[in-house]
Amino acid sequence: MRMYTDPRGEAYEQVIDLAISNSERFVLGEKIPADMAMRDRYTSVLETLEPYLLKTIIIPDNNLDECMRIRKTYNSHAFYSAGTYYLYRCCEESGKLLKQMANRLSDWMYPNLPEDLCFLRKGGGDYLYSVVHEHMYGMDVTEEEAGELMEQVTGLFLELKAHRDLDHLLDDAIKHKTDWLYISGHRLTELPERIRELTELRELEIFEQDLYRLPEGLFELSKLECLKILSADLGGIPAAIGKLKNLKELSIRCASSDRPAPGYQAKPREEIGLNRIPPEIGELEHLEQLTIQYTSIRELPPELEQLKNLQFLDIGMCLIERKPEFLGGMKQLKYVNVSRKSLLEMALDNPPEA
């Protein structure tokens, strides 16, 4: 059962207790290549855990066969690359140290800590796994057990089949104060206003083909840092976008289908409802990435110049005739695309020389 996000605070401590009591060993890794000069930052962690060390496994670089052998032997997500892996004994004392050293599973990441805390059952197999760089966390429990654990541990938010019902998904997301959520497959034309109750949300991704309207409640999520929307035809970006003061990434892609039928075709760009970027976009002072693709947008607001932290700007497959001059003054930009064509079309127009 995958987690939507990793537990933090008291929920992290309760999950560690569960994992210690249901597992025989836990694993931490140092991946290759690594800047060993940075290792000093967590050497004390390895030294503190040393009394519980059972085994050290070294998987050499460029040895995929050995990596696969070890992974199969332990039947664990922990072993996915070259590196040095430390296997520790699960007991109350080692669990107490894990709770002292971190506040959530995603803290177990180089260079501050050794990586990817995983717990192995007796005989192999993960009870709890984490692959922090990929934001992957999960537990080997049944759907029924997952439901019971979520009742016991506020902050443990596992993906359930029952979450195919949007109300059930939102109920649990609100209860567990999730900071990440993915919404798809609910055939929504608009988001429910109760989205505003997800007060801890930092990242929201929506893939709903029929989504056309964005509610005011969405723009009350003051902690939101990343908002991604995929839809066939979005009606527009409300001026309230300027209220998301902590937003670092905004990505909107029209002509997207989560259930394309045979012969499916996107609307012509001229018919897409999203035809302008509101000037309030300039109020997003922390924005670093802005992507808006396949729209009827014909011009960019000069307020974009106010985005001093913007590094990535992709307004592709739009109806802009000419790159605005003011973009030339935005020296911090590392990537700019305001082409009417897709990247594939541009590649076909400019094939590499033989």
Side-chain angles (χ1 to χ4, degrees):
M1 305 294 294
R2 288 190 61 169
M3 300 177 187
Y4 285 95
T5 186
D6 59 319
R8 57 193 181 276
E10 184 177 346
Y12 166 76
E13 295 184 3
Q14 291 178 272
V15 167
I16 293 297
D17 288 339
L18 280 168
I20 288 290
S21 63
N22 285 279
S23 309
E24 182 180 48
R25 291 169 284 189
F26 63 87
V27 183
L28 290 168
E30 295 180 285
K31 307 301 189 295
I32 297 175
D35 181 358
M36 297 312 290
M38 301 291 286
R39 191 175 189 268
D40 291 342
R41 296 177 67 168
Y42 59 81
T43 297
S44 60
V45 170
L46 297 176
E47 291 174 349
T48 303
L49 289 171
E50 191 169 3
Y52 310 99
L53 183 64
L54 297 172
K55 188 175 184 179
T56 300
I57 297 174
I58 299 176
I59 301 178
D61 201 10
N62 299 319
N63 195 331
L64 181 60
D65 289 342
E66 180 65 5
C67 184
M68 295 303 293
R69 186 187 71 80
I70 295 295
R71 185 182 179 99
K72 185 176 181 180
T73 298
Y74 290 94
N75 187 25
S76 171
H77 289 75
F79 310 96
Y80 62 85
S81 72
T84 301
Y85 295 87
Y86 303 96
L87 278 69
Y88 297 96
R89 175 167 58 92
C90 284
C91 60
E92 183 178 351
E93 293 78 12
S94 60
K96 186 178 297 184
L97 291 173
L98 293 177
K99 291 184 286 185
Q100 293 172 353
M101 293 170 175
N103 187 58
R104 60 190 303 172
L105 292 173
S106 55
D107 288 346
W108 294 97
M109 184 169 66
Y110 174 87
N112 295 317
L113 290 172
E115 294 195 317
D116 299 334
L117 178 61
C118 294
F119 289 82
L120 309 183
R121 293 182 183 274
K122 186 176 182 179
D126 294 318
Y127 175 75
L128 183 150
Y129 72 88
S130 65
V131 184
V132 177
H133 287 285
E134 301 298 328
H135 305 288
M136 292 172 54
Y137 313 94
M139 300 179 72
D140 181 21
V141 293
T142 65
E143 177 98 0
E144 183 179 356
E145 289 170 334
E148 293 173 354
L149 288 174
M150 286 171 58
E151 287 294 323
Q152 298 170 19
V153 182
T154 300
L156 175 58
F157 186 25
L158 294 159
E159 295 184 14
L160 305 178
K161 292 178 182 177
H163 290 155
R164 293 170 185 168
D165 177 78
L166 181 62
D167 285 331
H168 195 144
L169 172 64
L170 293 178
D171 285 344
D172 282 343
I174 293 165
K175 172 185 175 182
H176 294 287
K177 298 182 179 179
T178 188
D179 58 4
W180 182 93
L181 190 62
Y182 177 69
I183 297 175
S184 183
H186 300 283
R187 302 195 176 214
L188 301 178
T189 56
E190 59 182 279
L191 294 173
E193 283 289 347
R194 64 187 300 223
I195 198 84
R196 60 163 49 92
E197 297 178 51
L198 294 165
T199 54
E200 298 299 314
L201 212 57
R202 296 182 184 274
E203 184 172 349
L204 175 61
E205 184 170 352
I206 304 161
F207 188 5
E208 289 285 351
Q209 174 178 322
D210 302 323
L211 183 67
Y212 189 77
R213 177 182 172 273
L214 301 178
E216 289 295 316
L218 175 63
F219 306 102
E220 295 179 16
L221 301 177
S222 60
K223 294 184 180 180
L224 205 61
E225 297 177 1
C226 177
L227 175 61
K228 298 180 181 180
I229 299 172
L230 292 89
S231 171
D233 178 15
L234 193 66
I237 302 174
I241 188 72
K243 296 166 65 175
L244 298 179
K245 300 301 185 183
N246 287 303
L247 204 63
K248 296 179 180 179
E249 180 179 356
L250 175 61
S251 176
I252 297 174
R253 289 179 168 88
C254 296
S256 299
S257 174
D258 60 347
R259 54 181 195 283
Y264 170 81
Q265 287 188 334
K267 277 185 176 182
R269 280 174 291 183
E270 293 79 3
E271 297 179 15
I272 297 294
L274 180 47
N275 60 14
R276 66 186 290 271
I277 299 175
E280 288 79 7
I281 199 82
E283 299 173 20
L284 304 180
E285 59 184 35
H286 295 293
L287 198 65
E288 298 173 1
Q289 298 183 48
L290 177 60
T291 301
I292 304 177
Q293 294 185 344
Y294 200 91
T295 68
S296 57
I297 291 172
R298 296 180 181 274
E299 60 182 10
L300 299 181
E303 286 79 6
L304 284 176
E305 283 190 277
Q306 300 172 24
L307 302 177
K308 303 304 182 183
N309 290 303
L310 192 67
Q311 299 181 32
F312 183 98
L313 177 64
D314 185 352
I315 313 295
M317 293 179 284
C318 59
L319 299 179
I320 295 175
E321 295 286 351
R322 187 173 56 185
K323 182 178 176 180
E325 291 184 6
F326 70 80
L327 292 181
M330 298 177 69
K331 302 301 182 183
Q332 82 282 5
L333 283 172
K334 297 179 180 178
Y335 177 87
V336 177
N337 173 35
V338 291
S339 172
R340 294 169 64 97
K341 296 181 179 181
S342 68
L343 295 178
L344 176 59
E345 289 172 325
M346 287 190 286
L348 293 174
D349 288 344
N350 299 283
E353 295 182 4

mmCIF file of all heavy atoms in Angstrom, residues 254-286:
data_model
loop_
_atom_site.group_PDB
_atom_site.id
_atom_site.type_symbol
_atom_site.label_atom_id
_atom_site.label_comp_id
_atom_site.label_asym_id
_atom_site.label_seq_id
_atom_site.Cartn_x
_atom_site.Cartn_y
_atom_site.Cartn_z
ATOM 1 N N CYS A 254 -3.171 21.960 -21.250
ATOM 2 C CA CYS A 254 -4.444 21.622 -21.875
ATOM 3 C C CYS A 254 -4.221 20.556 -22.949
ATOM 4 O O CYS A 254 -3.087 20.143 -23.197
ATOM 5 C CB CYS A 254 -5.080 22.880 -22.470
ATOM 6 S SG CYS A 254 -5.517 24.112 -21.207
ATOM 7 N N ALA A 255 -5.319 20.102 -23.566
ATOM 8 C CA ALA A 255 -5.270 18.997 -24.539
ATOM 9 C C ALA A 255 -4.788 17.712 -23.894
ATOM 10 O O ALA A 255 -4.182 16.863 -24.545
ATOM 11 C CB ALA A 255 -4.376 19.359 -25.732
ATOM 12 N N SER A 256 -5.067 17.550 -22.593
ATOM 13 C CA SER A 256 -4.668 16.348 -21.855
ATOM 14 C C SER A 256 -5.897 15.497 -21.569
ATOM 15 O O SER A 256 -6.927 16.011 -21.128
ATOM 16 C CB SER A 256 -3.998 16.737 -20.533
ATOM 17 O OG SER A 256 -2.832 17.503 -20.766
ATOM 18 N N SER A 257 -5.771 14.212 -21.811
ATOM 19 C CA SER A 257 -6.905 13.301 -21.594
ATOM 20 C C SER A 257 -6.497 12.158 -20.695
ATOM 21 O O SER A 257 -5.500 11.489 -20.946
ATOM 22 C CB SER A 257 -7.403 12.742 -22.936
ATOM 23 O OG SER A 257 -8.406 11.768 -22.717
ATOM 24 N N ASP A 258 -7.282 11.939 -19.628
ATOM 25 C CA ASP A 258 -7.003 10.818 -18.732
ATOM 26 C C ASP A 258 -7.742 9.550 -19.161
ATOM 27 O O ASP A 258 -7.581 8.500 -18.551
ATOM 28 C CB ASP A 258 -7.358 11.181 -17.285
ATOM 29 C CG ASP A 258 -8.827 11.547 -17.106
ATOM 30 O OD1 ASP A 258 -9.508 11.757 -18.120
ATOM 31 O OD2 ASP A 258 -9.283 11.628 -15.945
ATOM 32 N N ARG A 259 -8.553 9.642 -20.193
ATOM 33 C CA ARG A 259 -9.276 8.465 -20.703
ATOM 34 C C ARG A 259 -9.544 8.639 -22.204
ATOM 35 O O ARG A 259 -10.705 8.668 -22.636
ATOM 36 C CB ARG A 259 -10.581 8.256 -19.932
ATOM 37 C CG ARG A 259 -11.485 9.468 -19.893
ATOM 38 C CD ARG A 259 -12.763 9.202 -19.095
ATOM 39 N NE ARG A 259 -13.752 10.216 -19.346
ATOM 40 C CZ ARG A 259 -13.718 11.439 -18.817
ATOM 41 N NH1 ARG A 259 -12.733 11.781 -18.009
ATOM 42 N NH2 ARG A 259 -14.661 12.320 -19.117
ATOM 43 N N PRO A 260 -8.494 8.771 -23.005
ATOM 44 C CA PRO A 260 -8.701 9.010 -24.445
ATOM 45 C C PRO A 260 -9.409 7.839 -25.126
ATOM 46 O O PRO A 260 -8.965 6.700 -25.040
ATOM 47 C CB PRO A 260 -7.282 9.183 -24.981
ATOM 48 C CG PRO A 260 -6.415 8.483 -23.982
ATOM 49 C CD PRO A 260 -7.080 8.647 -22.664
ATOM 50 N N ALA A 261 -10.527 8.132 -25.772
ATOM 51 C CA ALA A 261 -11.265 7.112 -26.526
ATOM 52 C C ALA A 261 -10.634 6.991 -27.906
ATOM 53 O O ALA A 261 -9.896 7.866 -28.358
ATOM 54 C CB ALA A 261 -12.732 7.530 -26.646
ATOM 55 N N PRO A 262 -10.910 5.881 -28.606
ATOM 56 C CA PRO A 262 -10.384 5.740 -29.973
ATOM 57 C C PRO A 262 -10.791 6.931 -30.832
ATOM 58 O O PRO A 262 -11.945 7.359 -30.827
ATOM 59 C CB PRO A 262 -11.053 4.446 -30.457
ATOM 60 C CG PRO A 262 -11.318 3.657 -29.217
ATOM 61 C CD PRO A 262 -11.657 4.685 -28.175
ATOM 62 N N GLY A 263 -9.827 7.501 -31.518
ATOM 63 C CA GLY A 263 -10.094 8.652 -32.360
ATOM 64 C C GLY A 263 -10.124 9.968 -31.630
ATOM 65 O O GLY A 263 -10.473 10.997 -32.215
ATOM 66 N N TYR A 264 -9.769 9.963 -30.334
ATOM 67 C CA TYR A 264 -9.783 11.205 -29.550
ATOM 68 C C TYR A 264 -8.901 12.267 -30.198
ATOM 69 O O TYR A 264 -7.772 11.992 -30.603
ATOM 70 C CB TYR A 264 -9.312 10.947 -28.125
ATOM 71 C CG TYR A 264 -9.060 12.218 -27.331
ATOM 72 C CD1 TYR A 264 -10.099 12.902 -26.735
ATOM 73 C CD2 TYR A 264 -7.763 12.736 -27.214
ATOM 74 C CE1 TYR A 264 -9.872 14.076 -26.009
ATOM 75 C CE2 TYR A 264 -7.534 13.906 -26.498
ATOM 76 C CZ TYR A 264 -8.594 14.562 -25.900
ATOM 77 O OH TYR A 264 -8.360 15.716 -25.193
ATOM 78 N N GLN A 265 -9.397 13.480 -30.268
ATOM 79 C CA GLN A 265 -8.622 14.599 -30.770
ATOM 80 C C GLN A 265 -8.817 15.800 -29.861
ATOM 81 O O GLN A 265 -9.936 16.070 -29.403
ATOM 82 C CB GLN A 265 -9.042 14.975 -32.201
ATOM 83 C CG GLN A 265 -8.581 13.977 -33.257
ATOM 84 C CD GLN A 265 -8.856 14.482 -34.663
ATOM 85 O OE1 GLN A 265 -9.767 15.277 -34.882
ATOM 86 N NE2 GLN A 265 -8.065 14.039 -35.614
ATOM 87 N N ALA A 266 -7.730 16.499 -29.617
ATOM 88 C CA ALA A 266 -7.817 17.708 -28.804
ATOM 89 C C ALA A 266 -8.506 18.814 -29.580
ATOM 90 O O ALA A 266 -8.488 18.845 -30.815
ATOM 91 C CB ALA A 266 -6.415 18.147 -28.394
ATOM 92 N N LYS A 267 -9.133 19.710 -28.851
ATOM 93 C CA LYS A 267 -9.721 20.896 -29.478
ATOM 94 C C LYS A 267 -8.635 21.696 -30.196
ATOM 95 O O LYS A 267 -7.470 21.709 -29.759
ATOM 96 C CB LYS A 267 -10.337 21.810 -28.406
ATOM 97 C CG LYS A 267 -11.719 21.453 -27.951
ATOM 98 C CD LYS A 267 -12.197 22.552 -26.998
ATOM 99 C CE LYS A 267 -13.646 22.324 -26.566
ATOM 100 N NZ LYS A 267 -14.095 23.423 -25.672
ATOM 101 N N PRO A 268 -8.974 22.416 -31.232
ATOM 102 C CA PRO A 268 -8.015 23.374 -31.799
ATOM 103 C C PRO A 268 -7.634 24.403 -30.739
ATOM 104 O O PRO A 268 -8.455 24.765 -29.896
ATOM 105 C CB PRO A 268 -8.792 24.021 -32.946
ATOM 106 C CG PRO A 268 -9.871 23.046 -33.282
ATOM 107 C CD PRO A 268 -10.236 22.374 -31.996
ATOM 108 N N ARG A 269 -6.403 24.860 -30.794
ATOM 109 C CA ARG A 269 -5.953 25.817 -29.779
ATOM 110 C C ARG A 269 -6.847 27.059 -29.727
ATOM 111 O O ARG A 269 -7.066 27.628 -28.655
ATOM 112 C CB ARG A 269 -4.512 26.236 -30.071
ATOM 113 C CG ARG A 269 -3.484 25.218 -29.618
ATOM 114 C CD ARG A 269 -2.101 25.600 -30.061
ATOM 115 N NE ARG A 269 -1.957 25.494 -31.513
ATOM 116 C CZ ARG A 269 -0.816 25.713 -32.171
ATOM 117 N NH1 ARG A 269 0.269 26.077 -31.498
ATOM 118 N NH2 ARG A 269 -0.741 25.573 -33.469
ATOM 119 N N GLU A 270 -7.332 27.485 -30.880
ATOM 120 C CA GLU A 270 -8.167 28.685 -30.933
ATOM 121 C C GLU A 270 -9.430 28.551 -30.097
ATOM 122 O O GLU A 270 -10.040 29.560 -29.715
ATOM 123 C CB GLU A 270 -8.546 29.008 -32.382
ATOM 124 C CG GLU A 270 -7.387 29.432 -33.271
ATOM 125 C CD GLU A 270 -6.565 28.253 -33.759
ATOM 126 O OE1 GLU A 270 -6.918 27.089 -33.454
ATOM 127 O OE2 GLU A 270 -5.556 28.489 -34.457
ATOM 128 N N GLU A 271 -9.850 27.318 -29.804
ATOM 129 C CA GLU A 271 -11.089 27.094 -29.066
ATOM 130 C C GLU A 271 -10.867 26.812 -27.577
ATOM 131 O O GLU A 271 -11.836 26.650 -26.819
ATOM 132 C CB GLU A 271 -11.854 25.922 -29.700
ATOM 133 C CG GLU A 271 -12.287 26.190 -31.143
ATOM 134 C CD GLU A 271 -13.014 25.001 -31.749
ATOM 135 O OE1 GLU A 271 -13.427 24.100 -30.976
ATOM 136 O OE2 GLU A 271 -13.157 24.959 -32.980
ATOM 137 N N ILE A 272 -9.618 26.731 -27.157
ATOM 138 C CA ILE A 272 -9.317 26.499 -25.742
ATOM 139 C C ILE A 272 -9.704 27.744 -24.936
ATOM 140 O O ILE A 272 -9.410 28.882 -25.316
ATOM 141 C CB ILE A 272 -7.822 26.176 -25.546
ATOM 142 C CG1 ILE A 272 -7.458 24.870 -26.273
ATOM 143 C CG2 ILE A 272 -7.474 26.075 -24.067
ATOM 144 C CD1 ILE A 272 -8.109 23.632 -25.718
ATOM 145 N N GLY A 273 -10.376 27.529 -23.810
ATOM 146 C CA GLY A 273 -10.862 28.639 -23.002
ATOM 147 C C GLY A 273 -9.764 29.495 -22.392
ATOM 148 O O GLY A 273 -9.953 30.693 -22.177
ATOM 149 N N LEU A 274 -8.636 28.898 -22.089
ATOM 150 C CA LEU A 274 -7.536 29.617 -21.455
ATOM 151 C C LEU A 274 -6.860 30.520 -22.493
ATOM 152 O O LEU A 274 -6.071 30.060 -23.326
ATOM 153 C CB LEU A 274 -6.526 28.627 -20.864
ATOM 154 C CG LEU A 274 -5.296 29.189 -20.161
ATOM 155 C CD1 LEU A 274 -5.645 30.291 -19.187
ATOM 156 C CD2 LEU A 274 -4.528 28.076 -19.471
ATOM 157 N N ASN A 275 -7.181 31.808 -22.453
ATOM 158 C CA ASN A 275 -6.700 32.736 -23.483
ATOM 159 C C ASN A 275 -5.865 33.890 -22.933
ATOM 160 O O ASN A 275 -5.453 34.778 -23.690
ATOM 161 C CB ASN A 275 -7.866 33.290 -24.298
ATOM 162 C CG ASN A 275 -8.878 34.043 -23.443
ATOM 163 O OD1 ASN A 275 -8.600 34.373 -22.289
ATOM 164 N ND2 ASN A 275 -10.055 34.298 -24.001
ATOM 165 N N ARG A 276 -5.619 33.899 -21.626
ATOM 166 C CA ARG A 276 -4.801 34.973 -21.060
ATOM 167 C C ARG A 276 -4.185 34.521 -19.746
ATOM 168 O O ARG A 276 -4.698 33.625 -19.061
ATOM 169 C CB ARG A 276 -5.628 36.242 -20.831
ATOM 170 C CG ARG A 276 -6.704 36.084 -19.772
ATOM 171 C CD ARG A 276 -7.597 37.309 -19.675
ATOM 172 N NE ARG A 276 -6.916 38.454 -19.104
ATOM 173 C CZ ARG A 276 -6.859 38.720 -17.800
ATOM 174 N NH1 ARG A 276 -7.449 37.908 -16.914
ATOM 175 N NH2 ARG A 276 -6.241 39.794 -17.361
ATOM 176 N N ILE A 277 -3.078 35.145 -19.411
ATOM 177 C CA ILE A 277 -2.453 34.976 -18.109
ATOM 178 C C ILE A 277 -2.743 36.250 -17.314
ATOM 179 O O ILE A 277 -2.391 37.345 -17.762
ATOM 180 C CB ILE A 277 -0.930 34.770 -18.235
ATOM 181 C CG1 ILE A 277 -0.640 33.512 -19.051
ATOM 182 C CG2 ILE A 277 -0.288 34.657 -16.859
ATOM 183 C CD1 ILE A 277 0.838 33.292 -19.330
ATOM 184 N N PRO A 278 -3.399 36.145 -16.185
ATOM 185 C CA PRO A 278 -3.776 37.364 -15.455
ATOM 186 C C PRO A 278 -2.545 38.106 -14.949
ATOM 187 O O PRO A 278 -1.524 37.495 -14.598
ATOM 188 C CB PRO A 278 -4.620 36.823 -14.290
ATOM 189 C CG PRO A 278 -4.152 35.418 -14.104
ATOM 190 C CD PRO A 278 -3.814 34.922 -15.474
ATOM 191 N N PRO A 279 -2.610 39.427 -14.911
ATOM 192 C CA PRO A 279 -1.454 40.207 -14.422
ATOM 193 C C PRO A 279 -1.087 39.889 -12.988
ATOM 194 O O PRO A 279 0.065 40.099 -12.578
ATOM 195 C CB PRO A 279 -1.929 41.660 -14.572
ATOM 196 C CG PRO A 279 -3.428 41.591 -14.676
ATOM 197 C CD PRO A 279 -3.728 40.280 -15.332
ATOM 198 N N GLU A 280 -2.034 39.335 -12.222
ATOM 199 C CA GLU A 280 -1.751 38.968 -10.819
ATOM 200 C C GLU A 280 -0.666 37.903 -10.716
ATOM 201 O O GLU A 280 -0.141 37.651 -9.625
ATOM 202 C CB GLU A 280 -3.034 38.475 -10.151
ATOM 203 C CG GLU A 280 -4.044 39.564 -9.859
ATOM 204 C CD GLU A 280 -4.858 40.001 -11.072
ATOM 205 O OE1 GLU A 280 -4.718 39.347 -12.138
ATOM 206 O OE2 GLU A 280 -5.625 40.965 -10.955
ATOM 207 N N ILE A 281 -0.291 37.272 -11.849
ATOM 208 C CA ILE A 281 0.795 36.289 -11.837
ATOM 209 C C ILE A 281 2.078 36.940 -11.315
ATOM 210 O O ILE A 281 2.932 36.290 -10.719
ATOM 211 C CB ILE A 281 1.023 35.713 -13.258
ATOM 212 C CG1 ILE A 281 1.802 34.383 -13.189
ATOM 213 C CG2 ILE A 281 1.736 36.696 -14.163
ATOM 214 C CD1 ILE A 281 0.977 33.201 -12.883
ATOM 215 N N GLY A 282 2.203 38.269 -11.525
ATOM 216 C CA GLY A 282 3.396 38.976 -11.081
ATOM 217 C C GLY A 282 3.536 39.067 -9.581
ATOM 218 O O GLY A 282 4.590 39.476 -9.075
ATOM 219 N N GLU A 283 2.490 38.685 -8.841
ATOM 220 C CA GLU A 283 2.534 38.730 -7.385
ATOM 221 C C GLU A 283 3.159 37.479 -6.774
ATOM 222 O O GLU A 283 3.371 37.419 -5.562
ATOM 223 C CB GLU A 283 1.114 38.917 -6.839
ATOM 224 C CG GLU A 283 0.458 40.222 -7.299
ATOM 225 C CD GLU A 283 -1.005 40.321 -6.887
ATOM 226 O OE1 GLU A 283 -1.404 39.583 -5.952
ATOM 227 O OE2 GLU A 283 -1.746 41.118 -7.496
ATOM 228 N N LEU A 284 3.464 36.485 -7.609
ATOM 229 C CA LEU A 284 4.022 35.220 -7.109
ATOM 230 C C LEU A 284 5.538 35.347 -7.021
ATOM 231 O O LEU A 284 6.288 34.799 -7.838
ATOM 232 C CB LEU A 284 3.611 34.070 -8.024
ATOM 233 C CG LEU A 284 2.098 33.899 -8.239
ATOM 234 C CD1 LEU A 284 1.818 32.726 -9.165
ATOM 235 C CD2 LEU A 284 1.387 33.712 -6.904
ATOM 236 N N GLU A 285 6.008 36.029 -6.009
ATOM 237 C CA GLU A 285 7.416 36.404 -5.931
ATOM 238 C C GLU A 285 8.365 35.231 -5.768
ATOM 239 O O GLU A 285 9.571 35.357 -6.040
ATOM 240 C CB GLU A 285 7.634 37.399 -4.790
ATOM 241 C CG GLU A 285 7.230 36.879 -3.428
ATOM 242 C CD GLU A 285 7.363 37.931 -2.350
ATOM 243 O OE1 GLU A 285 7.122 39.119 -2.649
ATOM 244 O OE2 GLU A 285 7.710 37.570 -1.206
ATOM 245 N N HIS A 286 7.854 34.059 -5.361
ATOM 246 C CA HIS A 286 8.719 32.887 -5.190
ATOM 247 C C HIS A 286 8.670 31.947 -6.400
ATOM 248 O O HIS A 286 9.348 30.917 -6.407
ATOM 249 C CB HIS A 286 8.322 32.111 -3.933
ATOM 250 C CG HIS A 286 8.542 32.873 -2.665
ATOM 251 N ND1 HIS A 286 9.791 33.210 -2.193
ATOM 252 C CD2 HIS A 286 7.653 33.387 -1.769
ATOM 253 C CE1 HIS A 286 9.679 33.879 -1.067
ATOM 254 N NE2 HIS A 286 8.390 34.001 -0.790
#
